[in-house]
Coordinates of all heavy atoms in Angstrom, one line a residue:
V245 N 152.9 177.8 40.1 CA 152.3 177.9 38.8 C 151.0 177.3 38.7 O 150.7 176.2 39.1 CB 153.3 177.3 37.8 CG1 152.7 177.4 36.4 CG2 154.7 178.0 37.8
R246 N 150.0 178.0 38.0 CA 148.7 177.5 37.9 C 148.1 178.0 36.6 O 148.6 178.8 35.9 CB 147.8 178.1 39.1 CG 147.5 179.5 39.0 CD 146.8 180.1 40.3 NE 146.5 181.5 40.1 CZ 146.1 182.3 41.1 NH1 146.0 181.8 42.3 NH2 145.9 183.5 40.9
S247 N 146.9 177.4 36.3 CA 146.2 177.8 35.1 C 146.0 179.3 34.9 O 145.6 179.9 35.9 CB 144.9 177.0 35.0 OG 144.2 177.4 33.8
G248 N 146.2 179.8 33.8 CA 146.1 181.2 33.5 C 147.4 182.0 33.6 O 147.5 183.2 33.3
D249 N 148.5 181.3 34.1 CA 149.8 181.9 34.2 C 150.5 181.8 32.9 O 150.1 181.1 32.0 CB 150.6 181.3 35.3 CG 150.1 181.6 36.7 OD1 149.2 182.5 36.9 OD2 150.5 180.9 37.7
A250 N 151.7 182.5 32.8 CA 152.5 182.4 31.6 C 153.9 182.0 32.1 O 154.4 182.5 33.1 CB 152.6 183.7 30.9
L251 N 154.5 181.1 31.3 CA 155.9 180.6 31.6 C 156.8 180.8 30.4 O 156.5 180.3 29.3 CB 155.8 179.2 32.0 CG 157.1 178.4 32.2 CD1 158.0 179.0 33.3 CD2 156.8 176.9 32.5
V252 N 157.9 181.5 30.6 CA 158.9 181.6 29.6 C 160.0 180.6 29.9 O 160.6 180.5 31.0 CB 159.6 183.0 29.7 CG1 160.7 183.1 28.6 CG2 158.6 184.1 29.5
I253 N 160.2 179.7 28.9 CA 161.2 178.6 29.1 C 162.3 178.9 28.1 O 162.1 179.0 26.9 CB 160.6 177.2 28.8 CG1 159.4 176.9 29.7 CG2 161.7 176.1 28.9 CD1 158.7 175.6 29.5
I254 N 163.5 179.0 28.7 CA 164.7 179.3 27.9 C 165.6 178.1 27.8 O 166.0 177.5 28.8 CB 165.5 180.5 28.5 CG1 164.6 181.7 28.7 CG2 166.7 180.9 27.6 CD1 165.0 182.6 29.8
S255 N 165.9 177.6 26.6 CA 166.8 176.5 26.4 C 167.4 176.7 25.0 O 166.7 176.6 24.0 CB 166.1 175.2 26.5 OG 166.9 174.1 26.2
L256 N 168.7 176.9 25.0 CA 169.4 177.1 23.7 C 169.1 176.0 22.7 O 168.7 176.2 21.6 CB 170.9 177.3 23.9 CG 171.7 177.4 22.6 CD1 171.2 178.7 21.9 CD2 173.2 177.5 23.0
S257 N 169.4 174.7 23.2 CA 169.2 173.6 22.3 C 167.8 173.1 22.2 O 167.3 172.6 21.2 CB 170.1 172.4 22.7 OG 169.6 171.8 23.9
G258 N 167.0 173.2 23.3 CA 165.7 172.8 23.4 C 165.5 171.3 23.2 O 164.4 170.8 23.0
R259 N 166.6 170.5 23.4 CA 166.6 169.1 23.1 C 166.5 168.2 24.4 O 166.2 167.0 24.3 CB 167.9 168.7 22.3 CG 169.2 168.9 23.1 CD 170.4 168.6 22.3 NE 170.5 167.3 21.7 CZ 171.6 166.6 21.6 NH1 172.8 167.1 22.0 NH2 171.6 165.4 21.1
N260 N 166.9 168.8 25.6 CA 166.9 168.0 26.8 C 165.5 167.7 27.4 O 164.6 168.5 27.1 CB 167.8 168.7 27.8 CG 169.3 168.6 27.4 OD1 169.8 167.5 27.1 ND2 170.0 169.7 27.4
A261 N 165.5 166.7 28.2 CA 164.2 166.3 28.8 C 163.6 167.4 29.6 O 162.3 167.6 29.6 CB 164.4 165.0 29.6
L262 N 164.4 168.1 30.4 CA 163.8 169.1 31.3 C 163.0 170.2 30.7 O 161.9 170.4 31.0 CB 165.0 169.7 32.2 CG 164.6 170.6 33.3 CD1 163.6 170.0 34.3 CD2 165.9 171.1 34.0
P263 N 163.5 170.9 29.7 CA 162.7 172.0 29.1 C 161.6 171.4 28.3 O 160.5 172.0 28.3 CB 163.7 172.8 28.2 CG 164.8 171.8 28.0 CD 164.9 171.0 29.2
V264 N 161.7 170.3 27.6 CA 160.7 169.7 26.8 C 159.5 169.3 27.7 O 158.3 169.6 27.5 CB 161.2 168.6 26.0 CG1 160.0 167.9 25.2 CG2 162.2 169.0 25.0
E265 N 159.8 168.6 28.7 CA 158.8 168.1 29.7 C 158.2 169.2 30.4 O 156.9 169.2 30.6 CB 159.4 167.1 30.7 CG 158.5 166.5 31.7 CD 159.2 165.7 32.7 OE1 160.2 165.1 32.4 OE2 158.7 165.8 33.9
M266 N 158.9 170.3 30.7 CA 158.3 171.4 31.4 C 157.3 172.1 30.6 O 156.2 172.5 31.0 CB 159.4 172.4 31.8 CG 158.9 173.6 32.6 SD 160.2 174.5 33.4 CE 160.7 173.4 34.7
A267 N 157.6 172.3 29.3 CA 156.7 172.9 28.4 C 155.4 172.0 28.2 O 154.3 172.5 28.3 CB 157.3 173.2 27.0
M268 N 155.6 170.8 28.1 CA 154.5 169.8 27.9 C 153.6 169.8 29.1 O 152.3 169.9 29.0 CB 155.0 168.4 27.6 CG 155.7 168.3 26.3 SD 156.5 166.6 26.1 CE 155.0 165.6 25.9
R269 N 154.2 169.7 30.3 CA 153.4 169.7 31.6 C 152.7 171.0 31.8 O 151.6 171.1 32.2 CB 154.3 169.3 32.7 CG 153.6 169.3 34.1 CD 152.5 168.3 34.1 NE 151.9 168.2 35.4 CZ 150.7 167.6 35.6 NH1 150.1 167.0 34.6 NH2 150.2 167.6 36.8
A270 N 153.4 172.1 31.6 CA 152.8 173.4 31.8 C 151.6 173.6 31.0 O 150.5 174.1 31.5 CB 153.8 174.5 31.5
R271 N 151.6 173.2 29.7 CA 150.4 173.4 28.9 C 149.2 172.5 29.3 O 148.1 172.9 29.2 CB 150.8 173.1 27.4 CG 151.8 174.1 26.9 CD 152.1 173.9 25.5 NE 151.2 174.5 24.6 CZ 151.2 174.4 23.3 NH1 152.0 173.6 22.7 NH2 150.3 175.0 22.5
T272 N 149.5 171.3 29.9 CA 148.4 170.5 30.4 C 147.8 171.2 31.6 O 146.6 170.9 32.0 CB 148.9 169.1 30.8 OG1 149.8 169.2 31.9 CG2 149.6 168.4 29.6
L273 N 148.6 172.0 32.3 CA 148.1 172.7 33.5 C 147.3 174.0 33.1 O 146.8 174.7 34.0 CB 149.2 173.1 34.4 CG 150.0 171.9 35.1 CD1 151.2 172.4 35.9 CD2 149.0 171.1 36.0
G274 N 147.3 174.3 31.9 CA 146.6 175.5 31.4 C 147.5 176.8 31.4 O 147.0 177.9 31.5
V275 N 148.8 176.6 31.4 CA 149.7 177.6 31.4 C 150.2 178.0 30.0 O 150.4 177.0 29.2 CB 151.0 177.3 32.2 CG1 152.0 178.3 32.2 CG2 150.6 177.0 33.7
R276 N 150.2 179.2 29.6 CA 150.7 179.6 28.3 C 152.3 179.6 28.3 O 152.9 180.1 29.3 CB 150.2 181.0 27.9 CG 148.7 181.2 27.9 CD 148.1 180.3 26.8 NE 148.4 180.8 25.5 CZ 147.9 181.8 24.9 NH1 146.9 182.5 25.5 NH2 148.3 182.2 23.7
V277 N 152.9 179.1 27.3 CA 154.3 178.9 27.2 C 155.0 179.6 26.1 O 154.5 179.6 24.9 CB 154.6 177.4 27.1 CG1 156.2 177.2 26.9 CG2 154.1 176.6 28.3
I278 N 156.0 180.4 26.4 CA 156.8 181.1 25.5 C 158.2 180.4 25.5 O 158.8 180.4 26.6 CB 157.0 182.6 25.8 CG1 155.6 183.3 25.7 CG2 158.0 183.3 24.8 CD1 155.7 184.7 26.3
G279 N 158.6 179.9 24.4 CA 159.9 179.2 24.3 C 161.0 180.1 23.7 O 160.7 180.7 22.6
V280 N 162.1 180.2 24.3 CA 163.2 180.9 23.7 C 164.3 179.9 23.4 O 164.9 179.3 24.3 CB 163.8 182.0 24.6 CG1 164.8 182.9 23.9 CG2 162.6 182.9 25.1
T281 N 164.6 179.7 22.2 CA 165.5 178.6 21.8 C 166.2 178.9 20.4 O 165.8 179.8 19.7 CB 164.7 177.3 21.7 OG1 165.6 176.2 21.5 CG2 163.7 177.3 20.6
S282 N 167.1 178.0 20.1 CA 167.7 178.1 18.7 C 167.0 177.0 17.9 O 167.3 175.8 18.1 CB 169.2 177.9 18.7 OG 169.7 177.8 17.4
V283 N 166.2 177.3 17.0 CA 165.5 176.4 16.2 C 166.4 175.5 15.4 O 166.1 174.3 15.0 CB 164.5 177.1 15.3 CG1 163.8 176.1 14.3 CG2 163.4 177.8 16.1
A284 N 167.6 176.0 15.1 CA 168.6 175.2 14.3 C 168.9 173.9 15.0 O 169.3 172.9 14.3 CB 169.9 176.0 14.1
Y285 N 168.9 173.8 16.3 CA 169.2 172.6 17.0 C 168.2 171.4 16.6 O 168.6 170.2 16.7 CB 169.2 172.8 18.5 CG 170.5 173.3 19.0 CD1 170.8 174.7 18.9 CD2 171.5 172.5 19.6 CE1 172.0 175.2 19.4 CE2 172.7 173.0 20.1 CZ 172.9 174.3 20.0 OH 174.1 174.8 20.5
A286 N 167.0 171.8 16.2 CA 166.0 170.7 15.9 C 166.4 170.0 14.7 O 165.9 168.8 14.5 CB 164.6 171.4 15.8
T287 N 167.2 170.5 13.8 CA 167.6 169.8 12.6 C 169.1 169.4 12.7 O 169.5 168.6 11.9 CB 167.4 170.7 11.3 OG1 168.1 172.0 11.5 CG2 165.9 170.9 11.1
G288 N 169.8 170.0 13.6 CA 171.3 169.7 13.7 C 171.6 168.8 14.9 O 172.8 168.4 15.0
T289 N 170.6 168.4 15.7 CA 170.9 167.5 16.8 C 169.7 166.5 16.9 O 168.7 166.6 16.2 CB 171.0 168.2 18.1 OG1 169.8 168.8 18.5 CG2 172.1 169.3 18.1
T290 N 169.8 165.5 17.8 CA 168.7 164.6 18.1 C 168.2 165.0 19.5 O 168.9 165.4 20.3 CB 169.2 163.2 18.1 OG1 170.3 163.0 19.1 CG2 169.7 162.7 16.7
S291 N 166.9 164.8 19.6 CA 166.2 165.1 20.9 C 166.6 164.1 21.9 O 166.9 162.9 21.7 CB 164.7 165.0 20.7 OG 164.0 165.1 21.9
R292 N 166.7 164.6 23.2 CA 167.0 163.7 24.3 C 165.7 163.4 25.1 O 165.8 162.9 26.2 CB 168.0 164.4 25.2 CG 169.4 164.4 24.6 CD 170.4 165.1 25.5 NE 171.8 165.0 24.9 CZ 172.7 165.9 25.1 NH1 172.4 167.0 25.7 NH2 173.9 165.8 24.6
H293 N 164.6 163.8 24.6 CA 163.3 163.5 25.3 C 162.7 162.3 24.6 O 162.9 162.1 23.4 CB 162.3 164.7 25.2 CG 161.1 164.5 26.0 ND1 159.9 164.0 25.5 CD2 160.8 164.7 27.3 CE1 159.0 164.0 26.4 NE2 159.5 164.4 27.5
A294 N 162.0 161.5 25.4 CA 161.5 160.2 24.9 C 160.5 160.4 23.7 O 160.4 159.5 22.9 CB 160.7 159.5 26.1
S295 N 159.9 161.6 23.6 CA 159.0 161.8 22.5 C 159.7 162.1 21.2 O 159.1 162.1 20.2 CB 158.1 163.0 22.9 OG 158.8 164.2 23.0
G296 N 161.0 162.4 21.3 CA 161.7 162.8 20.1 C 161.5 164.2 19.7 O 161.9 164.6 18.6
T297 N 160.8 165.0 20.5 CA 160.4 166.4 20.2 C 161.4 167.4 20.9 O 162.2 167.0 21.7 CB 159.0 166.7 20.6 OG1 158.8 166.5 22.0 CG2 158.0 165.8 19.8
Y298 N 161.2 168.6 20.5 CA 162.0 169.7 21.1 C 161.1 170.7 21.8 O 159.9 170.7 21.6 CB 162.8 170.4 20.0 CG 163.8 169.5 19.3 CD1 163.4 168.5 18.3 CD2 165.2 169.6 19.6 CE1 164.3 167.7 17.7 CE2 166.1 168.7 19.0 CZ 165.6 167.8 18.0 OH 166.5 167.0 17.4
L299 N 161.8 171.6 22.5 CA 161.0 172.7 23.2 C 160.1 173.4 22.2 O 158.9 173.7 22.5 CB 162.0 173.7 23.9 CG 161.4 175.0 24.4 CD1 160.4 174.7 25.5 CD2 162.5 175.9 24.9
K300 N 160.6 173.7 21.1 CA 159.8 174.5 20.1 C 158.5 173.9 19.7 O 157.6 174.5 19.3 CB 160.7 174.7 18.8 CG 160.8 173.5 18.0 CD 161.5 173.8 16.7 CE 161.6 172.6 15.8 NZ 160.2 172.1 15.3
D301 N 158.4 172.6 19.9 CA 157.2 171.8 19.5 C 156.1 171.9 20.6 O 155.0 171.4 20.3 CB 157.5 170.3 19.3 CG 158.6 170.2 18.2 OD1 158.4 170.8 17.2 OD2 159.5 169.4 18.4
H302 N 156.3 172.5 21.7 CA 155.4 172.6 22.8 C 155.1 174.0 23.4 O 155.0 174.1 24.6 CB 155.8 171.6 23.9 CG 156.1 170.2 23.4 ND1 155.1 169.3 23.1 CD2 157.2 169.6 23.1 CE1 155.6 168.2 22.7 NE2 156.9 168.3 22.7
C303 N 155.2 175.0 22.5 CA 155.1 176.3 22.9 C 153.9 177.0 22.2 O 153.6 176.7 21.1 CB 156.4 177.1 22.7 SG 157.8 176.4 23.5
D304 N 153.3 178.0 22.9 CA 152.4 178.9 22.2 C 153.0 179.9 21.3 O 152.5 180.2 20.3 CB 151.5 179.6 23.3 CG 150.7 178.7 24.1 OD1 149.7 178.2 23.7 OD2 151.1 178.3 25.3
I305 N 154.2 180.3 21.7 CA 155.0 181.2 20.9 C 156.5 180.8 21.0 O 156.9 180.5 22.1 CB 154.9 182.7 21.4 CG1 153.4 183.1 21.2 CG2 155.8 183.6 20.6 CD1 153.1 184.5 21.9
V306 N 157.2 180.8 19.9 CA 158.6 180.5 19.9 C 159.4 181.7 19.4 O 159.1 182.3 18.4 CB 158.9 179.3 18.9 CG1 160.4 179.0 18.8 CG2 158.2 178.0 19.4
L307 N 160.5 182.0 20.2 CA 161.4 183.0 19.8 C 162.7 182.4 19.5 O 163.3 181.7 20.3 CB 161.6 184.0 21.0 CG 160.4 184.8 21.5 CD1 160.7 185.6 22.8 CD2 159.9 185.7 20.4

Side-chain angles (χ1 to χ4, degrees):
V245 176
R246 68 187 184 193
S247 179
D249 292 346
L251 171 61
V252 179
I253 301 177
I254 306 155
S255 174
L256 176 60
S257 72
R259 68 187 297 220
N260 288 310
L262 184 56
V264 175
E265 181 187 325
M266 183 167 289
M268 295 173 71
R269 178 60 178 166
R271 294 182 88 185
T272 65
L273 295 174
V275 176
R276 303 294 296 278
V277 176
I278 298 170
V280 186
T281 187
S282 171
V283 173
Y285 275 81
T287 55
T289 67
T290 56
S291 171
R292 289 178 175 148
H293 188 264
S295 67
T297 60
Y298 296 78
L299 169 62
K300 73 175 185 63
D301 299 317
H302 305 284
C303 300
D304 295 281
I305 298 170
V306 175
L307 299 173

